[in-house]
Amino acid sequence: MKKIIFAIVLSVLAAACRPAVQPEDPGGDPEVPETPDTPSGTPSKPGPAELPSVSSFKLGDSFTVTFDRPLSMPYKGFSKGDKITLKPRWDSSATYELECTEASDSEGAKFSVPAHFIGGMCEVSCPRFSGGVTFVDVVDSTEVGKVPGKTTYGRVVDWDGKPLSGVAVSDGVIVTSTDANGCYYLASQRKYGYVFISVPGGYRVAVNRTIPQFFRRFTTDRYTEYEINNFVLEPENNKTHRVVVYTDTHLANRTNDISQFSTVFKPDLAAQAEKARAEGVPFYGLTLGDLAWDQYWYDNQYSLENYYKTMSDLDLPVYNVPGNHDNDPYVANDFGSEAAFRKWIGPTYYSFNIGDVHYILMDNTIFNNKGGSQGVVGDVQDYTEGFTSDELKWLRSDLALVPAGSTVFFGTHIQYSSRPSLNSSGAFSYGYSMPAQFRTELVELFAPYNVHYLSGHTHVSYTNEFTDKLMEHNVAAVCGTWWWTGYYTGGKCNICRDGTPQGSKVFDISGDSVKWRWKPMGHDENYQFRVYDLNNCLISKSLYCKSGTKITDAFFSEYVHGYDVQRSDNKLLVNVFDYDDKWTVSATEGGKALSVKRVDTYDPLHVVHFNTRRMNTNSTAMTFPTLMTSHMFEISASTATTPVTITVTDRFGREYVETVARPRQLYDMTISSIY
């Protein structure tokens, strides 16, 4: 990465702090590689040689601006009164200006810096040099006084310079909090290469290409050396806020996944963000891992770096956690395999606060790879579920600072529990996926709180409520069935293995009140269920697998799950995507209530959009076949042709109603984009 050198002039800022030393260039650390959100250069005043012309100045990946002291630009060609204009990409109505107050062809120029500006993605323009869009990094280089036994320092202030006390700060191992002067002190060994804060409620941090800048990278791993990393926060009224939770994007530059992601998911996410802005509601994204797909980092040259760049034109803060496919399969051990995630995305576990809610994201994939050369399949995806000792130590310390009774959102990639299924006694029950020792630890730590556990990994949707204070939301995948159903249908229908449409789960939070709803991509938020007329769900080989000449009848029958048998019992099947035990499903025919029964079965649309499509290519590699799901309901109608009105009511009393004109043909559903 090319460095752009320019000067910062800083002076004394606080009684508890001394004048700033010139910060070191943040490069050269092989353990924690330089990253795209690292400032593109730190100003250093040139020697007696002639200053370069300002016309030669070029923007890099970031443009560093001082917090509240003049910015020095060591270039000739500026004039007093010149302005550098910053247009925030996230707010087209705002403009910030840096005005030249002193200019000399021998000494360079000094610029005033805007008040109440913490940085972010901006269009930078100036008549004197070529501008563009980049991350404007507002840096507070105030030096915090040394304390015996501590080597890592910093302070946290708001955009007026007011110290923020009680803010949790960590290096991934040790957790401390800021004092009355907003200062923190750590005896850090800098293992993870960064220090991060738990952003307090009522504040926000700058966002660099969707990555919230709640962390700063160390310039050296020589932990005996003094180093400062400061944070400047903007006040935000976020007691009421909205969080969109999504997972398993699995971008791999395979099939047309990048195109589907860019033409469906990103516009949908941007529209949700714009809707929230129009409503005056702070909006955040939260991902649960498998952003890319490790195998294709090498096979298709699409890695976490590419994911980072693909997301870079969105103007919203997205907090991320790694999944099992976000580890380098050719690097030995868990810590080493996470290096790419730390480089391009950020910390693999951390916390933050929005309003009254405490959010925790933790990597729960322990990678056991022994390393190996590229292409060695045996080295790929050897992992177990759990947490490292560093993570658990950090979690205990983090939660110790959270008041009892708080609402906590805890996000991991791999699920805590399994989907509910029909057991031998005829009831629906779930099991556990997380190993017992970690469940025991979490249950103990979470006992004082009201916890929403967020998970992904399964590519299906379910919600398990363990107690009135602990429930899990297993979120279905953005990629649906690894983008295959969207690919097979020309983008008309991208669904998961349980029939849930690709999408995200949207949480509306006000104080301690939490409500949520599934948001299908490309659909209205009221699209919460899909109805099949089972008399017309015959999936025959002659109609759906005409080209699968090498597929045997037995193999075909195995993967169409009974839908190759004609039915005439006048039943309808309803797939309620985000169902939990506090939802209700009812139906009427001619005003008369009909019998409704919950069942464990397969979604017919997924059978035809993946299973039969795959068999139609004469492939028997059924890598992602339709899965049985229990958010299904059978309705018994009296005839084959009368309309049936179905009412689905969620746990918050919101009703979703559809009157189904019958007969409804499955074939019509496979070619229509409304399903």
Side-chain angles (χ1 to χ4, degrees):
M1 183 187 299
K2 293 182 178 179
K3 298 292 181 180
I4 301 171
I5 310 300
F6 54 97
I8 296 176
V9 178
L10 295 173
S11 59
V12 178
L13 293 181
C17 306
R18 297 201 303 274
V21 295
Q22 204 71 304
E24 298 177 355
D25 180 60
D29 181 0
E31 178 65 32
V32 184
E34 195 169 81
T35 70
D37 51 286
T38 301
S40 61
T42 305
S44 61
K45 189 174 181 179
E50 183 179 1
L51 292 175
S53 170
V54 63
S55 62
S56 66
F57 176 79
K58 302 294 182 184
L59 285 175
D61 286 337
S62 64
F63 178 76
T64 303
V65 174
T66 54
F67 171 43
D68 65 348
R69 290 297 181 264
L71 168 69
S72 290
M73 296 284 284
Y75 293 88
K76 66 180 182 180
F78 281 114
S79 295
K80 187 176 180 180
D82 283 347
K83 293 181 180 179
I84 300 173
T85 302
L86 309 177
K87 292 283 294 182
R89 210 171 60 176
W90 68 93
D91 183 0
S92 59
S93 66
T95 299
Y96 299 90
E97 292 182 335
L98 288 72
E99 184 171 355
C100 183
T101 57
E102 300 178 32
S104 166
D105 282 352
S106 60
E107 298 293 329
K110 291 183 180 179
F111 286 79
S112 63
V113 296
H116 288 179
F117 178 67
I118 65 168
M121 294 299 295
C122 295
E123 181 181 349
V124 181
S125 61
C126 178
R128 301 293 183 179
F129 60 77
S130 177
V133 175
T134 193
F135 173 63
V136 177
D137 189 13
V138 175
V139 173
D140 172 16
S141 295
T142 304
E143 184 175 315
V144 174
K146 294 182 179 180
V147 173
K150 311 293 184 181
T151 60
T152 299
Y153 304 83
R155 70 175 195 151
V156 183
V157 297
D158 73 4
W159 63 3
D160 286 319
K162 174 187 173 183
L164 299 179
S165 63
V167 177
V169 186
S170 180
D171 62 350
V173 179
I174 306 167
V175 178
T176 187
S177 56
T178 55
D179 62 18
N181 295 313
C183 297
Y184 69 87
Y185 314 86
L186 288 169
S188 174
Q189 295 193 6
R190 303 177 189 170
K191 174 181 177 180
Y192 292 95
Y194 44 66
V195 60
F196 57 86
I197 64 170
S198 185
V199 181
Y203 293 90
R204 65 176 289 269
V205 291
V207 178
N208 180 4
R209 298 166 176 87
T210 75
I211 308 294
Q213 299 300 287
F214 62 92
F215 60 100
R216 288 276 180 183
R217 299 182 187 276
F218 294 126
T219 62
T220 175
D221 62 357
R222 295 185 293 275
Y223 60 84
T224 57
E225 295 183 8
Y226 173 93
E227 183 168 339
I228 57 170
N229 283 282
N230 297 332
F231 298 87
V232 181
L233 279 57
E234 176 182 336
E236 178 182 65
N237 183 8
N238 53 25
K239 195 177 187 72
T240 296
H241 61 278
R242 184 170 299 155
V243 175
V244 56
V245 179
Y246 68 93
T247 185
D248 293 271
T249 53
H250 274 280
L251 293 181
N253 195 24
R254 187 183 68 125
T255 61
N256 62 347
D257 55 350
I258 309 301
S259 174
Q260 291 186 61
F261 182 79
S262 298
T263 59
V264 181
F265 176 73
K266 286 176 63 179
D268 193 287
L269 196 59
Q272 289 191 61
E274 186 57 37
K275 180 175 182 287
R277 290 189 191 105
E279 296 172 359
V281 178
F283 183 82
Y284 297 83
L286 191 158
T287 73
L288 298 174
D290 280 4
L291 310 178
W293 194 341
D294 50 356
Q295 176 184 343
Y296 298 98
W297 294 7
Y298 300 99
D299 291 356
N300 294 347
Q301 284 73 56
Y302 192 92
S303 65
L304 287 169
E305 173 185 0
N306 303 96
Y307 173 85
Y308 169 85
K309 292 176 179 177
T310 298
M311 291 289 289
S312 66
D313 60 342
L314 289 175
D315 292 308
L316 65 152
V318 180
Y319 289 93
N320 303 272
V321 70
N324 54 294
H325 287 290
D326 296 321
N327 292 270
D328 193 325
Y330 305 114
V331 174
N333 73 58
D334 186 63
F335 180 80
S337 65
E338 294 169 350
F341 189 93
R342 291 194 297 270
K343 175 180 179 180
W344 290 103
I345 308 299
T348 59
Y349 57 93
Y350 53 94
S351 68
F352 56 97
N353 301 275
I354 309 176
D356 295 333
V357 178
H358 187 64
Y359 292 85
I360 303 170
L361 292 182
M362 289 184 68
D363 174 23
N364 68 338
T365 302
I366 300 177
F367 225 55
N368 303 315
N369 280 19
K370 297 179 175 62
S373 60
Q374 295 177 22
V376 181
V377 177
D379 285 341
V380 178
Q381 287 298 293
D382 178 12
Y383 67 91
T384 55
E385 181 181 4
F387 304 100
T388 66
S389 57
D390 279 354
E391 286 183 289
L392 291 175
K393 178 182 178 182
W394 171 83
L395 179 61
R396 293 185 199 102
S397 299
D398 179 80
L399 285 172
L401 300 175
V402 180
S406 297
T407 297
V408 174
F409 275 59
F410 183 76
T412 66
H413 177 64
I414 304 177
Q415 69 275 19
Y416 182 88
S417 63
S418 62
R419 74 166 187 92
S421 59
L422 195 61
N423 60 33
S424 57
S425 63
F428 290 89
S429 60
Y430 54 81
Y432 292 99
S433 300
M434 182 172 287
Q437 68 268 32
F438 298 115
R439 293 203 314 272
T440 300
E441 181 92 22
L442 292 182
V443 167
E444 178 184 345
L445 288 171
F446 288 154
Y449 310 106
N450 300 303
V451 179
H452 292 267
Y453 193 121
L454 309 173
S455 61
H457 190 57
T458 65
H459 294 235
V460 298
S461 174
Y462 59 86
T463 300
N464 289 328
E465 192 163 6
F466 312 116
T467 69
D468 60 354
K469 296 178 64 177
L470 175 61
M471 66 187 307
E472 178 178 16
H473 306 262
N474 188 250
V475 181
V478 166
C479 72
T481 308
W482 290 261
W483 302 104
W484 279 108
T485 56
Y487 174 72
Y488 284 142
T489 64
K492 289 186 176 66
C493 184
N494 190 330
I495 56 178
C496 297
R497 300 170 72 185
D498 63 346
T500 301
Q502 68 169 149
S504 56
K505 200 160 188 176
V506 181
F507 291 83
D508 277 296
I509 300 163
S510 183
D512 292 330
S513 171
V514 181
K515 294 183 178 180
W516 57 87
R517 175 158 35 194
W518 183 249
K519 175 58 178 71
M521 295 294 115
H523 291 275
D524 183 86
E525 63 183 10
N526 291 313
Y527 180 52
Q528 295 293 317
F529 64 92
R530 186 188 306 116
V531 184
Y532 302 96
D533 185 352
L534 290 176
N535 284 358
N536 298 282
C537 281
L538 178 65
I539 302 176
S540 65
K541 192 176 179 184
S542 61
L543 182 59
Y544 291 101
C545 196
K546 294 179 181 178
S547 300
T549 55
K550 297 180 181 179
I551 301 298
T552 66
D553 291 345
F555 188 83
F556 180 84
S557 182
E558 177 184 354
Y559 282 98
V560 298
H561 302 296
Y563 291 112
D564 54 344
V565 177
Q566 178 66 57
R567 292 180 64 161
S568 57
D569 52 8
N570 302 333
K571 290 187 176 181
L572 294 88
L573 182 67
V574 185
N575 189 338
V576 184
F577 312 132
D578 197 34
Y579 175 83
D580 66 51
D581 288 341
K582 292 187 178 177
W583 288 50
T584 61
V585 180
S586 62
T588 59
E589 180 185 35
K592 180 181 178 181
L594 298 178
S595 170
V596 179
K597 179 184 178 182
R598 186 181 180 187
V599 294
D600 218 0
T601 190
Y602 300 87
D603 184 272
L605 202 59
H606 189 272
V607 171
V608 296
H609 280 330
F610 184 81
N611 295 11
T612 65
R613 298 262 190 170
R614 179 60 61 91
M615 288 188 281
N616 221 22
T617 66
N618 283 304
S619 173
T620 57
M622 302 299 287
T623 47
F624 313 116
T626 311
L627 291 178
M628 186 173 282
T629 182
S630 62
H631 47 74
M632 292 286 204
F633 297 83
E634 275 193 355
I635 297 170
S636 300
S638 63
T639 75
T641 58
T642 50
V644 172
T645 298
I646 298 164
T647 302
V648 174
T649 307
D650 70 14
R651 63 162 49 216
F652 307 110
R654 297 176 298 212
E655 288 189 349
Y656 310 96
V657 182
E658 181 182 358
T659 297
V660 180
R662 302 165 68 222
R664 171 176 285 180
Q665 301 294 333
L666 177 61
Y667 181 78
D668 293 337
M669 298 177 76
T670 68
I671 60 176
S672 173
S673 60
I674 66 172
Y675 299 109

